[in-house]
Each structure stands twice: as C-alpha cells, then as structure tokens.
Amino acid sequence: MEIIVCKDYKSLGEKAATIFAAQVLEKPDCVLGFATGSSPLSTYAHMAKLCDDGIVDYSRVTTFNLDEYYGMDPTEEQSYRKFMDDNLFTKINIKPENTHLLSGLTQDPASECAQYEKDIAAAGGIDIQLLGIGHDGHIGFNEPADDFANDTHLVDLIPMTLEANARFFSSIDEVPKQALSMGIGTIMRARKIVMVVNGAEKAETVKQMIYGPVTPKLPASILQFHQNVTVLLDEAAAAKL
Ligand code: GLP
C-alpha cells in the first residue's frame, strides 16, 4: 500500500487526477471506476481542468460507478447519476453512453447487480478504481458486516451512514435506506485502486484501515491485501499515522 500525504485537499485532488490522467494517456480506451461523496470533488475538478487544457482525452474511456441509492430516480438531485453528470461527466469529453451507474429504479435488484458484473467483465475489468471511505470504514456502500460481500449487491445502510449522508437531503428520513453497490470482490478485482481521504474526522478510520486487522467490521481494511493501492491523504486525515 502506497501512502501519500498531501498538504491540503486541493493538492490531494491534483495528485489523484494526475494518476488517472497517466492511465488515460497510457491506455486511451481504459475502464475507470468512479466514486461519489465529498472526497472526490477536488479530483474531479482537476480531471476537468486537464481535459479542458487539452491534456487528457476521455472520448474512448468507459466508466463504472461504485454505487447508487435503491429507489432513487436518476434525475433527482441526490442521485449519484446526477452527481456524476454535474461534477464530472458534463465537464469532460466522455461519451454519455460510456458512463455506467447502477439503476436505482430497477424492479429486480439481483438481475441489475448480476448484469453490472457482466458489463464490467465485458469491458475488460476496471483499470483504476477511485474510492472514498465512510466514517465506519465502508467502501462503496459495503457496510461493516460479518463477511466481505463479493459481487455487486443490494445493501441495507446502517444508521451511521444515513446520518453522514443526511446532509445531502432535507432530513434524515429522506435518505434511502438501501443502496446497490459493487461488492468488495468487485472493488478488489480492479487492477489499481486510488483512495482519497481528507479531514480530521476520518483520521482514526484511516489508521485502522492501514494498521488494524483485516476484518469485514472495517471493510476498507481489505485493501491491505490488494497489490496496487495508493492512498492519498491530506495532513488532517494522516494525523494519526
Ligand atoms: C458515501 C459513498 C461512498 C463514499 C463515502 C464517503 O456513502 N457511498 O462511496 O466514499 O460515503 O463520503 P464522503 O466522501 O462524502 O465522506
């Protein structure tokens, strides 16, 4: 696990975007895995800048996002589809049809999840997966559990996650109680993983992820077993290392 401490959130995003840029330059038809939440915003801002400056061409890139709220209409403000369109996809020259998110409106979650796994495999697998981390150590929406979930699946969100994500909704009661998420296996099959973490409130979780036991009680700890992980931290998130 490579750990890089950046001086602040902006430089962390620049570094992460540079890693993705190198991947696209090396393999213009690469497959990228993306994440939502506050953590990747500075990364997406710099990706957009590199595209705007003519340095990176996303026209042949395919993307798969980690997760989506179950029952969420993609046109709604809080949907992860809307988040990705607003913060990245409309700001780079990617083809909309090459961007994939799970459908929160599916009537058949099991088929939707199975098809997502097939689509990722058919695209050749994910070259780089971007991750944030939840306060409880979740990645994607893989919550602390007794076992690591392998494939894309329907998840029951735990109260800590509902509280953390309530800031995007008018009240906590509005936060969907379930989500569709890539599994731990799906994430671990990515050839490279880049995690971005900022802020003092994640420092203890980061310490446990890196130095603690590998356990499904802290799902991100599984990354200790991945052979190509870069964790980018701002100074506050790295404070307990
Ligand atoms: C959300 C997302 C995760 C994200 C995490 C942290 O619930 N499902 O993919 O990494 O929680 O979010 P944030 O970056 O806003 O702290």
Side-chain angles (χ1 to χ4, degrees), residues 98-147:
N98 289 352
T99 67
H100 302 274
L101 275 91
L102 287 149
S103 169
L105 290 182
T106 181
Q107 299 297 310
D108 184 351
S111 303
E112 175 72 13
C113 293
Q115 188 60 48
Y116 206 62
E117 290 287 338
K118 283 184 194 157
D119 291 347
I120 292 170
I126 295 171
D127 289 299
I128 309 186
Q129 176 66 54
L130 181 63
L131 295 178
I133 187 171
H135 295 84
D136 58 5
H138 73 226
I139 47 178
F141 265 131
N142 291 279
E143 300 282 32
D146 292 333
D147 302 292

Side-chain angles (χ1 to χ4, degrees), residues 34-38 44 65-70 72-89 99-102 104 116 138 140-141 157 161 164-169 175-176 178-181:
F34 284 144
T36 50
S38 307
Y44 294 152
N65 259 77
L66 282 169
D67 46 20
E68 179 60 282
Y69 289 115
Y70 185 47
M72 179 67 80
D73 189 306
T75 61
E76 279 189 52
E77 203 53 44
Q78 297 91 350
S79 79
Y80 285 171
R81 161 55 75 183
K82 181 90 168 55
F83 176 99
M84 289 308 299
D85 286 347
D86 289 354
N87 291 294
L88 185 66
F89 297 150
T99 67
H100 302 274
L101 275 91
L102 287 149
Y116 206 62
H138 73 226
F141 265 131
L157 302 178
T161 300
N165 289 359
R167 68 190 193 279
F168 298 112
F169 296 81
V175 185
Q178 291 181 301
L180 303 171
S181 175

Side-chain angles (χ1 to χ4, degrees), residues 144-183:
D146 292 333
D147 302 292
F148 290 112
N150 187 11
D151 292 336
T152 302
H153 61 300
L154 181 65
V155 181
D156 292 325
L157 302 178
I158 66 168
M160 189 191 280
T161 300
L162 300 177
E163 281 163 31
N165 289 359
R167 68 190 193 279
F168 298 112
F169 296 81
S170 48
S171 83
I172 190 166
D173 299 333
E174 309 269 303
V175 185
K177 308 283 183 293
Q178 291 181 301
L180 303 171
S181 175
M182 284 187 192

